[in-house]
Amino acid sequence: VPWPKSTVTRTVDPKSTVDPHHLSQQLASWKITMAALLVVTVSLTLMSTGVAGAVPPTSCTANVTNGLGVGVGGTTTPNVSTWSDCCSLCQEPSNSVCTSWTWTPTDPDKWSAGGDCITRAETPTKRVMHAPDTKVTGIMIPPPPSPPPPPPPPVPAGTQKNVIFLVNDDQDLVLGSMRAMPNTARLLGDGGANLTQFRVNTPICCPSRTTMLSGRYQHNNHVRGPTTPGCMWQNTSRVDNPSFWEHGIVKQIHNRGYTTGMFGKVLNNMDSYGCDGSSGLPPGLDHSLIMCTHTFFNCSWVNDSVLVKTGDRPEDYTTSVLGNASVEWIRSVLSSGKTHPPFFAWIGPHAPHLPSTPAPWYLDHPIGLLKAPRTVHYNYSAVDHHPLVANQPILNDADAKSIDQEYSMRMRSLLSVDDIVVALHGLLQAYDEWDNTYFLFSSDHGYSLGQYRLPSHKMQVYDNNLRVPFLFRGPGIAPGQQVDAITMFADLCPTILTLTGADIPFTVDGRSFAHLVDPAFPAPAKPWKDTHIAEYLSISLKHCEGLNRTTCARHEEDDASNTYRSMRVKNATHDFLFAEFSDVSIAADWSFPSSGIEFTEYYNMQTDPYQLHNLFNVTSQGVLEVLRQRIQQLFTCQGNTCP
């Protein structure tokens, strides 16, 4: 990537618009000699949202005689020795949004005494009059855009495998939800691989799905700070963060010649993907029936580029609507014969997310007679956990009834997802494509129903929220496999790209686990990871999502202090979880400085798999310091520096 330049100048005209590319012509017209204009080449770390380039060398030294000042306002740093130090400050990686700088000497007659440095993030639009020989200003000039890479060669017909990814919304693993999906367990689990140690990287909808689509951890894709909410703090906008989509699964697969379709829930905010009624289909997506609202009836959708609504009739049940739409689209691809292009289908039911409405034909299904499991940590008083959990009141009989009611509805709502899997299996069998299709199934995060006295939620650092089912079948995958290696959603994007022969962009933090299920894919030279990363920037809900309002009034499920980063290490000698908590409302604490750590939890997962006993207060400072250093390394990783 070419680095931008900084034009170092002095003020001449306070009114005209700055155009750095025509600066020399303007100065000539003002009868200022070209000797007054010194273009100093500096290096500025270019950073799209969450993705930094390598730190380049600095080159801010030159003699300055006259020039232009730009902009107003900005951030002032006092006691900066020279103007070249001010220029260097603007180009530091931590100042990646800096567009201009101004250095003012404390004593205009004695520049060696230092001065104040102002850096600005706004694009300069005005020149401001400075007295001659009193200020030095630099403008960061972006490089010209690189030419687009040549398109990859098309995929020869019949040589690539189809890919289906079906992802549920809020489905647990620890609480036994797969009992409602026996056909899915049989066709995909028994018929393929079960990834038993699969975990999400963020236990809430939009950030988790962001990682699925991009392969990026939350710390490499979040917005700048708490004043910009984004999609649950993630920058998923095609306008503000185009690389998120351009480098993601769908666009990269499409570049390989795949036809692509997305159905149901994708992200919580899809405004720039057609739901605003004007943005249209994103590049690389051939067909869509995407949820703009997330409901079981009376739902708004974008059908390709057209906004549509469904009603409250039985046939409008959204799991069935999106399931039928995905089946018919795949049928239309396959019906062109064996020369059809390979397809990728994203299928995102809303089940079993609250209100967990079952299909009308499943309202009385006996699976709903099951009660929520009373696990070891159900109604457990976790007084040594972080305050949100430690202060939960005991679950009473009304709470337990509400929990069981929600569990019943969750299980019944999953029956319709199981029907989608059966329908897809029948369709692919009819076209002799079942053994030519990779089928991956999971959920965006787990759930709690009474664990640690939290009646209905998903945003905690514990296994019942982080562990989800992950089943994976397809050509070359031996049936009945149990894969116990640590895997996660950051690995999903590179895995699917590997399956399809697409290139893996440099922005991807995860690693392909295709070789773990099919040895025909070469194993990487780098040993497989033993560490799982989870992070959560609290969205600060002040009530639980449970069905019983009385229960919700007594139990908070989230607050600003439930902001954390964690590492789970599992290898031959260690099995532990280490987590640090900070406050999402403090922008500086998003990077978890030592001064911003408000609480720490540490669990021996081998002897304490339910995370009941926090060992922080009985662990030596030497061990804790090693853990702190390691977690800091993990949460500053990017791309191939991640484990």
Side-chain angles (χ1 to χ4, degrees):
V1 178
W3 306 106
K5 298 177 180 179
S6 175
T7 302
V8 179
T9 58
R10 292 285 187 76
T11 299
V12 174
D13 183 353
K15 296 180 180 179
S16 57
T17 301
V18 171
D19 183 352
H21 299 287
H22 301 289
L23 203 53
S24 60
Q25 292 91 331
Q26 293 178 10
L27 288 171
S29 68
W30 295 325
K31 299 181 180 180
I32 297 177
T33 64
M34 288 304 295
L37 176 66
L38 296 173
V39 177
V40 181
T41 302
V42 302
S43 301
L44 175 65
T45 299
L46 291 180
M47 186 178 295
S48 61
T49 302
V51 183
V55 178
T58 60
S59 177
C60 282
T61 352
N63 295 322
V64 178
T65 59
N66 212 341
L68 299 172
V70 298
V72 293
T75 301
T76 300
T77 303
N79 302 320
V80 176
S81 298
T82 66
W83 67 261
S84 61
D85 291 332
C86 185
C87 175
S88 299
L89 186 64
C90 185
Q91 65 148 38
E92 285 184 356
S94 60
N95 237 343
S96 59
V97 296
C98 182
T99 62
S100 68
W101 53 269
T102 298
W103 182 78
T104 305
T106 304
D107 182 349
D109 298 322
K110 189 178 181 182
W111 283 27
S112 60
D116 292 339
C117 176
I118 299 176
T119 55
R120 308 177 187 87
E122 295 76 17
T123 302
T125 58
K126 298 278 186 188
R127 277 196 286 272
V128 179
M129 183 66 73
H130 296 159
D133 302 320
T134 61
K135 297 178 186 290
V136 185
T137 291
I139 305 167
M140 310 312 292
I141 304 174
S146 302
V155 180
T159 62
Q160 292 292 80
K161 311 304 181 186
N162 311 308
V163 180
I164 297 173
F165 178 51
L166 193 157
V167 54
N168 277 342
D169 195 0
D170 283 21
Q171 183 178 356
D172 64 89
L173 174 67
V174 173
L175 305 181
S177 66
M178 287 304 297
R179 291 181 293 177
M181 303 184 68
N183 294 301
T184 303
R186 172 177 56 85
L187 292 169
L188 307 184
D190 297 343
N194 181 1
L195 278 62
T196 62
Q197 293 298 318
F198 194 92
R199 288 172 172 81
V200 307
N201 297 106
T202 306
I204 196 168
C205 304
C206 200
S208 184
R209 291 163 180 268
T210 298
T211 298
M212 296 177 205
L213 288 164
S214 67
R216 298 180 189 176
Y217 291 124
Q218 176 178 272
H219 64 263
N220 289 330
N221 199 68
H222 63 59
V223 295
R224 294 290 181 185
T227 60
T228 310
C231 189
M232 298 181 178
W233 304 122
Q234 293 297 286
N235 191 346
T236 59
S237 168
R238 283 171 56 200
V239 177
D240 299 333
N241 185 15
S243 71
F244 165 72
W245 180 263
E246 289 293 324
H247 293 162
I249 291 177
V250 178
K251 184 64 163 58
Q252 295 299 312
I253 289 177
H254 192 268
N255 289 347
R256 283 289 293 156
Y258 274 70
T259 184
T260 58
M262 302 187 88
F263 306 89
K265 182 173 180 178
V266 182
L267 299 169
N268 293 63
N269 184 335
M270 295 295 289
D271 285 351
S272 63
Y273 297 85
C275 285
D276 59 359
S278 60
S279 55
L281 277 173
L285 182 57
D286 295 317
H287 179 61
S288 74
L289 183 66
I290 290 173
M291 285 178 159
C292 299
T293 57
H294 307 115
T295 58
F296 291 94
F297 289 102
N298 299 305
C299 187
S300 297
W301 314 72
V302 58
N303 185 11
D304 293 341
S305 297
V306 180
L307 296 178
V308 297
K309 291 185 177 181
T310 49
D312 56 6
R313 301 168 299 174
E315 57 266 33
D316 292 325
Y317 184 66
T318 57
T319 306
S320 299
V321 169
L322 67 92
N324 291 333
S326 63
V327 168
E328 289 310 308
W329 178 74
I330 293 172
R331 189 192 310 277
S332 72
V333 175
L334 300 181
S335 62
S336 62
K338 286 297 182 182
T339 59
H340 72 81
F343 68 81
F344 169 76
W346 169 293
I347 304 174
H350 189 39
H353 193 290
L354 280 166
S356 313
T357 307
W361 47 92
Y362 284 138
L363 284 173
D364 297 319
H365 193 281
I367 193 76
L369 299 177
L370 293 172
K371 291 187 175 183
R374 275 26 176 191
T375 58
V376 172
H377 42 347
Y378 179 88
N379 211 8
Y380 177 75
S381 178
V383 293
D384 58 0
H385 292 41
H386 65 280
L388 178 71
V389 173
N391 295 329
Q392 291 292 321
I394 192 170
L395 297 172
N396 59 29
D397 291 344
D399 298 336
K401 182 178 179 181
S402 175
I403 288 169
D404 288 336
Q405 180 187 4
E406 183 177 351
Y407 189 77
S408 171
M409 297 180 72
R410 284 169 59 86
M411 298 295 273
R412 285 172 171 154
S413 72
L414 287 171
L415 297 172
S416 295
V417 182
D418 205 41
D419 289 343
I420 294 177
V421 176
V422 171
L424 289 169
H425 173 254
L427 173 68
L428 294 169
Q429 286 278 44
Y431 281 89
D432 195 25
E433 293 278 352
W434 179 246
D435 292 328
N436 194 45
T437 301
Y438 292 109
F439 200 140
L440 302 87
F441 164 76
S442 193
S443 168
D444 54 4
H445 48 73
Y447 211 66
S448 291
L449 287 170
Q451 287 65 45
Y452 312 106
R453 297 184 173 176
L454 289 157
S456 173
H457 84 116
K458 60 228 181 179
M459 294 166 284
Q460 298 298 323
V461 72
Y462 312 114
D463 258 10
N464 52 296
N465 287 177
L466 298 180
R467 290 187 64 193
V468 291
F470 197 99
L471 307 179
F472 186 3
R473 64 93 51 210
I477 300 176
Q481 289 188 65
Q482 298 284 320
V483 178
D484 297 328
I486 283 183
T487 46
M488 61 197 80
F489 273 135
D491 303 326
L492 177 70
C493 173
T495 298
I496 291 179
L497 296 181
T498 298
L499 298 177
T500 60
D503 293 332
I504 299 175
F506 72 96
T507 55
V508 169
D509 300 323
R511 299 169 60 190
S512 170
F513 54 74
H515 67 286
L516 297 179
V517 296
D518 181 1
F521 291 97
K526 187 178 178 180
W528 189 251
K529 66 187 76 178
D530 65 357
T531 303
H532 166 261
I533 293 173
E535 50 194 326
Y536 174 58
L537 295 170
S538 172
I539 62 172
S540 302
L541 289 177
K542 290 298 183 183
H543 59 83
C544 75
E545 292 186 9
L547 301 176
N548 185 303
R549 294 297 98 189
T550 302
T551 295
C552 290
R554 298 176 60 246
H555 297 270
E556 290 191 1
E557 75 165 329
D558 195 19
D559 64 19
S561 70
N562 186 40
T563 295
Y564 58 80
R565 62 183 185 180
S566 74
M567 61 178 180
R568 168 72 191 275
V569 176
K570 184 177 175 61
N571 55 37
T573 57
H574 295 84
D575 190 357
F576 65 83
L577 176 92
F578 182 77
E580 295 178 328
F581 293 77
S582 69
D583 189 327
V584 75
S585 65
I586 303 173
D589 289 355
W590 282 30
S591 59
F592 291 85
S594 57
S595 60
I597 305 300
E598 297 185 348
F599 202 86
T600 304
E601 298 185 16
Y602 180 37
Y603 301 98
N604 183 335
M605 298 297 291
Q606 186 171 18
T607 60
D608 184 19
Y610 292 98
Q611 296 150 286
L612 304 179
H613 308 294
N614 182 5
L615 301 178
F616 172 74
N617 288 327
V618 295
T619 302
S620 71
Q621 287 301 311
V623 170
L624 292 175
E625 183 57 31
V626 170
L627 294 172
R628 291 187 187 108
Q629 291 177 6
R630 176 57 178 156
I631 201 170
Q632 179 64 19
Q633 291 172 352
L634 291 173
F635 287 90
T636 54
C637 80
Q638 293 178 333
N640 60 14
T641 68
C642 294

